[in-house]
């Protein structure tokens, strides 16, 4: 299957700082990428849909000014958690719709964010 | 607004078939059913998807009822490495594209 890579896999940051997470499609072009958040022992919650070259579409209840998404190229989307607080600590996962002709989405390995 | 319901947990013996049910009674005619699984602290792994017909690949089989209100994922010979949370998902069309809305999933434990 297609490969989606996230970086970093783990990050610890101080409260009040911002942190950027990258999501790359390594062997295909992804016009659409998705960002999810997962708290311990819970399911994945879709945060936003990111289309290349346009503004992201956020799910209800997700603060667009806090979770900045940029999808400037067909292989890279970034999620920036601004002014992070301990309650933002979570597992953040991206996915990308597969290459043309495939309708499944492929997921990155996730980024564990800890805000101290 | 997940459109699926699954049992919270199941278990099966290693080497036996694991049959994971899913109800999606409000599914629309053009909505696909997807199955993913997630092993602890990793990103979800695609397993299989289908629309109306039963599907089979190297990982699993997907049986969809004729009325499309439920489906069953079958792992024919479960191994210990199949222990994971299995998500049954109906792909929905959102504001700008299709998206996968995860439900709570089934935690499958494969026993030695």
């Amino acid at each position: 299957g297609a490969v989606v890579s996230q970086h970093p896999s783990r990050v610890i940051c101080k409260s009040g700082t911002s942190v950027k997470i990258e999501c790359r499609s390594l062997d295909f072009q992804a016009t659409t990428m998705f960002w999810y958040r997962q708290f311990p022992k819970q399911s994945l919650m879709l945060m936003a849909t990111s289309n290349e070259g346009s503004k992201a579409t956020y799910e209800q209840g997700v603060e667009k000014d806090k979770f900045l998404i940029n999808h400037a190229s067909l292989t890279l989307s970034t999620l920036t958690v601004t002014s992070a607080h301990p309650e933002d600590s979570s597992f953040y996962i991206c996915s990308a719709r597969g290459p043309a002709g495939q309708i499944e989405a492929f997921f990155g390995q996730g980024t564990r964010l800890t805000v101290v | 607004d997940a459109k699926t319901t699954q049992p919270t947990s199941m278990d099966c013996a290693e080497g036996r078939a694991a049959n994971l049910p899913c109800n999606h009674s409000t599914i629309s005619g053009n909505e696909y059913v997807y199955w993913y699984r997630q092993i602890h602290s990793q990103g979800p792994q695609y397993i299989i998807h289908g629309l109306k017909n039963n599907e089979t690949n190297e990982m699993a089989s997907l049986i969809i009822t004729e009325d499309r209100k439920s489906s069953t994922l079958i792992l024919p010979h479960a191994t210990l490495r199949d222990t994971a949370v299995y998500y049954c998902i109906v792909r929905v069309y959102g504001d700008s594209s299709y998206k996968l809305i995860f439900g709570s999933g089934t935690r499958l434990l494969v026993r030695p």
Side-chain angles (χ1 to χ4, degrees):
Chain A
V3 179
V4 175
S5 177
Q6 272 183 251
H7 178 79
S9 56
R10 292 178 177 274
V11 58
I12 300 173
C13 72
K14 290 186 177 180
S15 188
T17 63
S18 296
V19 62
K20 181 186 287 188
I21 302 169
E22 294 185 346
C23 178
R24 294 181 186 273
S25 55
L26 296 186
D27 50 1
F28 67 101
Q29 294 183 328
T31 54
T32 305
M33 291 186 173
F34 306 87
W35 287 96
Y36 292 81
R37 180 168 55 178
Q38 185 176 33
F39 292 109
K41 298 192 185 303
Q42 295 187 22
S43 184
L44 284 76
M45 185 195 80
L46 180 64
M47 300 174 68
T49 302
S50 164
N51 288 301
E52 185 265 338
S54 62
K55 289 184 179 180
T57 302
Y58 290 81
E59 295 298 304
Q60 193 172 11
V62 178
E63 301 173 59
K64 65 176 81 173
D65 294 329
K66 180 164 185 65
F67 299 100
L68 302 179
I69 292 172
N70 184 287
H71 191 164
S73 82
L74 287 171
T75 59
L76 174 64
S77 175
T78 61
L79 168 68
T80 301
V81 183
T82 62
S83 187
H85 289 102
E87 57 264 32
D88 298 323
S89 297
S90 189
F91 193 52
Y92 291 87
I93 310 170
C94 73
S95 75
R97 183 173 313 134
Q102 294 185 1
I103 63 172
E104 58 265 38
F106 296 92
F107 285 78
Q109 71 272 38
T111 296
R112 171 90 42 210
L113 170 64
T114 303
V115 184
V116 298
Chain B
D1 55 339
K3 300 181 70 171
T4 62
T5 55
Q6 299 175 252
T8 303
S9 63
M10 295 182 66
D11 68 84
C12 75
E14 187 179 18
R16 304 301 291 266
N19 298 295
L20 290 87
C22 177
N23 286 323
H24 31 79
S25 57
T26 61
I27 195 170
S28 299
N30 60 351
E31 290 178 333
Y32 282 78
V33 177
Y34 283 73
W35 284 82
Y36 282 79
R37 71 181 182 185
Q38 186 179 30
I39 296 169
H40 183 61
S41 294
Q42 297 182 25
Q45 176 190 21
Y46 166 79
I47 301 173
I48 200 167
H49 71 273
L51 182 62
K52 288 189 282 193
N53 300 321
N54 297 337
E55 303 287 346
T56 295
N57 62 21
E58 64 278 4
M59 288 183 71
S61 295
L62 175 60
I63 309 298
I64 302 175
T65 57
E66 195 169 333
D67 63 7
R68 303 213 324 123
K69 292 186 177 181
S70 65
S71 60
T72 301
L73 178 75
I74 301 172
L75 307 178
H77 305 287
T79 70
L80 298 179
R81 283 180 291 191
D82 292 323
T83 291
V85 178
Y86 286 77
Y87 294 100
C88 168
I89 302 160
V90 171
R91 189 185 71 162
V92 300
Y93 192 83
D95 298 313
S96 57
S97 77
Y98 291 104
K99 53 188 180 180
L100 302 178
I101 306 296
F102 283 71
S104 53
T106 295
R107 188 171 297 276
L108 175 68
L109 173 65
V110 180
R111 295 176 279 104

